[in-house]
Amino acid sequence: MAPSDLASFLAGEPPGPTDATAGETAAAAPAARPVVAGRPAAPVARPAASMAADSGTVVTLLDRYEIFPDQPLPEFSHAGAGAFAARPRDRAAGNVFAYVGRTGLPVRAEILGVMGGAEHAGLMAIVDHGVAEWPADRAERRIFVCEAPAGRLVESLTAAQAPMGEDQVTRTFIRPVVAALHELQGRRVFHGAINPANIFRRDVQGNTPMLGDCTTVPPGFIQPVAFETVERGMTDAAARGEGTPADDLYAFGVSILHLLLGRQPAAETDDRTLLAAKIGKGSYGALIGNTRLSLTTMEPVRGLLVDDPDDRWTLDDLELWLSGRRLSPKQAKPPPRASRSIAFGGTEHWNARLLATALAADPQAANTMIERGDLDVWLRRSLGDEEMADRVVEANKALFGWTGPMEARRVSRVVMALDPRAPIRYAGRSVMPDGFGGALAEVLASGGGAQVLAEMITGQLPMFWISAQQRLRPEFVSLATRLDQLSGFLRRQEPGYGLERCLYELNPSMPCISPILKGVYVVDVAGLLGTLERVAGDADRPGEPIDRHIAAFLLSRKGAVGSRTIEALAVDAPAERRCVAFVESFDELQRKAQAPPLPNLCQWVASMIGPAFERYHSRTLRDRLRDEIGRLVTDGQFGPLRGLVGSATLIQRDAIAFDRARRLHVHAGRVIALRQRELENKAVIAGAVGRQAAAIIACLLAALLLAGIVVMQAI
């Protein structure tokens, strides 16, 4: 994919009818074959050269499906995935098409099995999914084979169409979608992408709507702001986090209004202005504008667009309405209005939520206002909210955090105190506490900086968000524990930690994005070893087989490899320890994954372990080990290799022999030194030798004399 295309996809811009698959093919695609119920019809006659080119671009998935990169289906594509014609090799298997992921964002692996088993008429079933190399960039992509619909419910969100009648909307849209939402709720699945452009017609008659894709990107990533609640609409698209069934019902309400109006509600209004209108007037008033609905259809729309999720209609309320019972939706409660406005950014603000949005947009000026005390005075005297004023005072305290400017943290905390339900807003980013996984994946996959996200976590802003909530939920406990763990990861600089560890911990389905893997879609240890074995055979392989991404990926897969082994790979660790750590890491991985022999990878690692031999003192032993390793790498097993370079017995024996040799060397040195000192003073040596000789001669003469005396006496 071209960089400009990737940037637009990550920004959440929906593809147009002509550029929905830009970057997916190396050249302009020829005219697509006509599709009947999502399945390619007979090929259109083309020149022989063109057909030959087409035959080389078929992608085979799982040996069961054929995907055609030159057959884009823009009517099914969205900002997170391109749609392409596909067919099962077993022609009797049914009509299908393929979604090909084209962002670096993780898929929703936790619901793949649930959606794959869905057989409800109102849900698009995932027939199969897998990974295959995409010819445009020779990189592996996640591909989803889906049940083919007849077409979209609406051509696009921006295109006007004839409004639907109330009876038609109720009979052919509301009733079947309610049944589909019941199915999702029973499966505990949050859809996150309900809008008319992602709702399809199951058949040509269009009597059965089918909710579209919700698995290829994080929830909410492809959802326009108009179809999101106020809080999720404020949030960056990739950072909206896991929503609730109430959020799906809100999007359903906007979709009903879209069909009744024949256009997207408030389509002429930019996102910032629309959010301000939703806060000031309530979502229903902001979206419906001056349009008047009948009392019959106004009830469900108003009930579903209530901003407070506790007052919003549920599926049971919709069922009662469909059965003929008339309900009275609760009126939207606008934010408390102050008796006097407060000026900020050239605008007069009358409520705390709108003021919080303005403060987040200009942190420098906001910090000045907070320090002057103007905000505290306005909250207590004009708004009359002592509780909120006390929360703001508390937000100014304990501005702990080991990264990022204190002023930015202060503004972020004060904004959360003013509007607790809103996302965490800091330095231009807006993230829900459970949306850090998608936010990190977005910035790291696109090559952007993640420093702001790191500062948000280490500055304890998510923890303050949790403490500011007026309605504590049970899931906050596990969320707080995980966020605290992330802060610990970010404080450590060893391999396996930092932002990379946070990325893979928060996104279990995220493939390893290490550049060493050269675009291969790796999601498990076995796949990682197989890919490294292939990379090891390349002439342009990198210097080392484990970088920070691979280290973090391995540690996030619990039990794959020990943390101490990975931590020993730090660049400032002793060279011989790093070499042994590489061998130990791959030995553990090969054993636990029960991987086949890896001769290329063994040779790659063996070429790096020279420093490990330097700790052996015996030159003969070092030469023997090098010869032995040259023989072992051909077997492709890391166990014997580890036994050589990491053998404690061998190291101990070498140390004992070296210690013995050292002691002998020291003793010999002492003897030699003594002899050298003696030779340096010849006069002393001569006198000592002369005295010794004289004593010996005197003894001999005395003995002879004594012997002579004895002999004479005997005679």
Side-chain angles (χ1 to χ4, degrees), residues 157-158 226 261 263-274 281 285-291:
L157 293 179
T158 56
L261 299 178
R263 55 178 174 78
Q264 179 177 320
E268 68 286 351
T269 307
D270 64 88
D271 291 344
R272 177 175 292 186
T273 304
L274 177 58
K281 303 177 183 178
L287 291 172
I288 199 169
N290 296 323
T291 305

Side-chain angles (χ1 to χ4, degrees), residues 436-609:
F436 277 97
L440 274 174
E442 178 190 27
V443 296
L444 292 179
S446 61
Q451 181 62 30
V452 171
L453 297 174
E455 290 177 3
M456 294 171 78
I457 295 173
T458 57
Q460 299 295 309
L461 296 181
M463 304 298 287
F464 184 81
W465 184 93
I466 293 174
S467 67
Q469 299 307 299
Q470 297 172 320
R471 301 170 184 170
L472 296 179
R473 301 199 299 267
E475 57 267 29
F476 285 171
V477 177
S478 59
L479 179 61
T481 302
R482 168 165 285 195
L483 291 170
D484 187 59
Q485 184 184 43
L486 297 182
S487 183
F489 291 152
L490 289 172
R491 288 185 170 88
R492 303 184 64 173
Q493 300 303 315
E494 308 99 295
Y497 297 92
L499 281 169
E500 296 86 359
R501 180 66 177 277
C502 296
L503 172 68
Y504 298 112
E505 288 286 348
L506 291 172
N507 301 290
S509 64
M510 183 79 181
C512 184
I513 58 175
S514 167
I516 294 176
L517 304 179
K518 300 182 178 181
V520 178
Y521 200 98
V522 171
V523 294
D524 55 29
V525 173
L528 175 67
L529 291 177
T531 302
L532 288 177
E533 171 68 8
R534 292 192 294 272
V535 172
D538 296 342
D540 61 341
R541 70 188 185 194
E544 296 181 349
I546 296 179
D547 61 3
R548 292 190 63 87
H549 269 288
I550 292 178
F553 178 82
L554 290 174
L555 287 186
S556 69
R557 270 55 183 173
K558 307 303 181 186
V561 65
S563 58
R564 291 186 179 181
T565 304
I566 293 296
E567 291 165 12
L569 299 176
V571 293
D572 56 351
E576 65 275 8
R577 179 67 188 107
R578 292 189 77 236
C579 296
V580 175
F582 276 111
V583 178
E584 291 176 346
S585 298
F586 285 113
D587 178 44
E588 291 181 31
L589 294 173
Q590 189 176 34
R591 285 189 294 103
K592 293 178 180 178
Q594 299 182 346
L598 305 167
N600 291 334
L601 186 55
C602 276
Q603 191 279 329
W604 187 3
V605 174
S607 68
M608 303 164 44
I609 61 177

Side-chain angles (χ1 to χ4, degrees), residues 625-639:
L625 288 176
R626 290 189 180 96
D627 294 340
E628 185 68 13
I629 283 180
R631 183 185 64 82
L632 289 177
V633 295
T634 59
D635 296 335
Q637 299 293 338
F638 280 94

Side-chain angles (χ1 to χ4, degrees), residues 328-348:
S328 298
K330 293 185 178 181
Q331 296 296 321
K333 300 175 183 177
R337 181 182 173 89
S339 59
R340 295 181 61 183
S341 64
I342 183 171
F344 182 82
T347 304
E348 298 294 326

Side-chain angles (χ1 to χ4, degrees), residues 187-210:
R187 294 172 178 266
R188 298 183 179 180
V189 171
F190 167 67
H191 192 281
I194 296 176
N195 66 72
N198 195 39
I199 299 176
F200 299 89
R201 292 178 285 108
R202 174 171 288 276
D203 48 46
V204 178
Q205 292 75 22
N207 294 326
T208 305
M210 175 196 296

Side-chain angles (χ1 to χ4, degrees), residues 236-250:
D236 298 343
R240 288 170 175 164
E242 192 66 36
T244 66
D247 298 326
D248 274 342
L249 287 170
Y250 181 97

